[in-house]
């Protein structure tokens, strides 16, 4: 086995000339698998890394706790454990968690204000990459 010796000066020069492009990470939670696939494809094409997906608020909580993504994209209306459950449990883990709530029903927007970072109606999902990049 041979060792490569790099001086501090060489290392510093390499670091200065190298740009680190770290993708922002997301977890996507929705009971509709087609929405998960569409959001995943959309974000992946905009250089986001999808760490995991789930189908209810309990799964969102477990995914957040184990993966610690930069963002959670979560539906509000889901069976068993809804998005409100997921929001409250994730915020217990990290009060600074960045949660974007989505729903086909805009009546939930007022209920999520102050709990999630942003509410997005599902028919506006194409603007999601722009929103995430602005945060």
């Amino acid at each position: 086995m041979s060792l490569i010796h790099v001086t501090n000066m060489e290392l510093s020069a390499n670091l200065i000339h190298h740009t680190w492009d770290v993708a922002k990470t997301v977890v996507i939670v929705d009971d509709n698998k087609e929405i998960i696939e569409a959001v995943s494809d959309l974000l992946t094409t905009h250089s986001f890394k999808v760490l995991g997906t789930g189908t209810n608020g309990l799964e969102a909580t477990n995914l957040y706790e184990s993966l610690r993504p930069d963002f959670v994209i979560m539906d509000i209306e889901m069976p068993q454990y809804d998005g409100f459950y997921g929001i409250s449990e994730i915020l217990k883990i990290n009060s600074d968690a960045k949660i974007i709530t989505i729903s086909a029903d805009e009546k939930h927007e007022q209920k999520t204000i102050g709990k999630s970072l942003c509410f997005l109606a599902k028919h506006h999902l194409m603007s999601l990459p722009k929103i995430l990049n602005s945060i």
Side-chain angles (χ1 to χ4, degrees):
M1 170 168 53
S2 63
L3 296 174
I4 298 172
H5 178 73
V6 178
T7 67
N8 285 341
M9 183 177 254
E10 290 169 326
L11 182 60
S12 295
N14 286 336
L15 290 175
I16 289 170
H17 295 294
H18 190 279
T19 56
W20 299 98
D21 190 20
V22 179
K24 290 182 181 177
T25 58
V26 298
V27 164
I28 304 166
V29 182
D30 196 305
D31 60 318
N32 183 329
K33 298 221 185 272
E34 291 175 358
I35 295 291
I36 289 175
E37 288 177 22
V39 172
S40 180
D41 290 346
L42 174 66
L43 294 178
T44 302
T45 60
H46 285 87
S47 301
F48 288 88
K49 183 175 181 180
V50 178
L51 298 179
T53 63
T55 58
N56 65 46
L58 179 60
E59 289 179 12
T61 303
N62 293 334
L63 287 166
Y64 183 83
E65 189 167 35
S66 64
L67 301 174
R68 299 294 173 136
D70 295 315
F71 299 100
V72 176
I73 313 300
M74 184 165 33
D75 188 15
I76 293 296
E77 292 183 20
M78 296 179 285
Q80 297 174 329
Y81 297 93
D82 64 12
F84 292 113
Y85 174 87
I87 292 169
S88 70
E89 294 302 306
I90 290 169
L91 292 177
K92 287 178 188 175
I93 296 167
N94 178 4
S95 62
D96 293 325
K98 295 178 180 141
I99 304 167
I100 311 299
T101 52
I102 59 174
S103 181
D105 191 341
E106 294 183 39
K107 73 179 180 189
H108 295 298
E109 181 173 10
Q110 289 298 317
K111 293 180 186 176
T112 63
I113 292 175
K115 296 176 186 165
S116 66
L117 193 60
C118 167
F119 175 88
L120 187 62
K122 285 186 178 180
H123 60 272
H124 291 296
L125 283 176
M126 294 304 289
S127 63
L128 187 56
K130 184 177 179 179
I131 291 169
L132 295 179
N133 279 320
S134 71
I135 299 172

